[in-house]
Amino acid sequence: MPITNYKNMFNEICQSKFLKIQVIVLYIITYIDWVILPFVTKLEGTYLPVYMISIYMLIGALDGFIQPLFKHTKIYNIYLFAIMLDIVQIMSYMFYQWSAVVFTYVILSIFTIQGITFEIVRIHTVDFMQGESVELKDYLMIRSFIISLSILCGGLSAILFDYFGMDLKWLFYYLSFLGVIGIVLQFILYKKFKKRIQISEVEIQKDRREIFEKIRG
């Protein structure tokens, strides 16, 4: 029965191109992070003092304080910021051969900001569920499933890459390729979000104008 429920929810999401793209983006971005995370953790223990690691953890824990500040931010602007973060992350891979210490600090900063951004996007879930046939509860369940699946696949991939002694240079090429795909899909979402919200705002203004004219008449 639970398998049938998941199948039905996936079918509903696949019927919406908008939600389908978002689920794919969520998988790719989370997968990339969890492939590279074990390697960055290893670098942390090698190059970073404990207090710096703690500072990053404390900053990441501030998401609950930061979220209210972005309550009225347009979700397409959040996605645009996420795209810029992904571009910086891909560029940061070049720092590794120049300085492992600088790379570790840069990638940890990106991960911390990225984690907060993901939480901000999550609280705007209602914004992009408007007009969709999928129930919010079903979408959130699928979202949790996709995150768990991407973490599992990312962790297993990291184990295999490490076991076979894959050069980090080739790992970064692989992750950069996936990152570019993620950026392209996020840009598609950005345009869709922007168009949907702008249409919604135009309709609201039209309704207000009609109500005002009726009151005046």
Side-chain angles (χ1 to χ4, degrees):
M1 190 70 176
I3 295 177
T4 304
N5 291 338
Y6 270 114
K7 184 178 179 181
N8 292 336
M9 286 187 288
F10 267 114
N11 288 336
E12 288 181 0
I13 286 178
C14 288
Q15 290 174 4
S16 170
K17 185 178 180 182
F18 182 74
L19 294 180
K20 184 167 62 176
I21 293 175
Q22 198 194 38
V23 167
I24 294 172
V25 167
L26 183 63
Y27 177 85
I28 291 175
I29 300 303
T30 307
Y31 171 82
I32 291 173
D33 288 349
W34 282 85
V35 169
I36 196 173
L37 190 59
F39 296 97
V40 173
T41 303
K42 184 177 180 181
L43 292 173
E44 286 177 15
T46 305
Y47 297 106
L48 268 61
V50 173
Y51 75 89
M52 282 305 303
I53 300 174
S54 298
I55 287 175
Y56 279 110
M57 293 173 66
L58 291 172
I59 293 173
L62 294 177
D63 62 306
F65 297 96
I66 296 174
Q67 284 179 10
L69 301 176
F70 296 91
K71 180 180 179 181
H72 300 292
T73 303
K74 304 296 185 186
I75 190 169
Y76 58 83
N77 288 328
I78 299 174
Y79 262 90
L80 185 61
F81 179 70
I83 289 171
M84 292 188 289
L85 268 183
D86 290 340
I87 293 173
V88 173
Q89 180 171 333
I90 292 174
M91 293 176 62
S92 73
Y93 297 153
M94 296 184 293
F95 285 112
Y96 178 74
Q97 291 184 332
W98 174 59
S99 171
V101 178
V102 173
F103 167 76
T104 307
Y105 275 109
V106 171
I107 203 72
L108 275 180
S109 300
I110 293 171
F111 280 175
T112 303
I113 299 172
Q114 200 174 55
I116 295 173
T117 304
F118 268 22
E119 288 302 307
I120 293 173
V121 168
R122 188 173 60 82
I123 65 174
H124 284 78
T125 301
V126 178
D127 294 343
F128 58 76
M129 289 301 295
Q130 294 177 6
E132 298 292 340
S133 59
V134 183
E135 292 185 12
L136 179 59
K137 181 172 64 176
D138 290 344
Y139 174 76
L140 292 176
M141 289 178 64
I142 291 297
R143 186 181 187 276
S144 297
F145 175 81
I146 291 297
I147 290 176
S148 296
L149 179 64
S150 59
I151 291 174
L152 177 64
C153 293
L156 290 175
S157 298
I159 291 172
L160 290 174
F161 294 149
D162 185 60
Y163 178 78
F164 290 106
M166 186 177 188
D167 192 321
L168 279 181
K169 179 179 68 175
W170 293 106
L171 176 62
F172 290 149
Y173 286 151
Y174 167 63
L175 296 180
S176 296
F177 173 73
L178 292 179
V180 170
I181 295 176
I183 289 171
V184 171
L185 293 176
Q186 284 185 94
F187 187 71
I188 292 173
L189 283 177
Y190 162 76
K191 291 197 297 184
K192 286 182 175 294
F193 274 128
K194 189 172 184 179
K195 182 178 180 180
R196 177 177 290 193
I197 291 176
Q198 287 178 340
I199 290 175
S200 177
E201 289 177 342
V202 169
E203 290 177 348
I204 291 173
Q205 290 298 327
K206 182 180 178 182
D207 291 341
R208 286 177 178 174
R209 187 166 56 251
E210 289 178 353
I211 292 172
F212 181 72
E213 289 176 353
K214 286 181 180 179
I215 294 173
R216 290 184 59 186

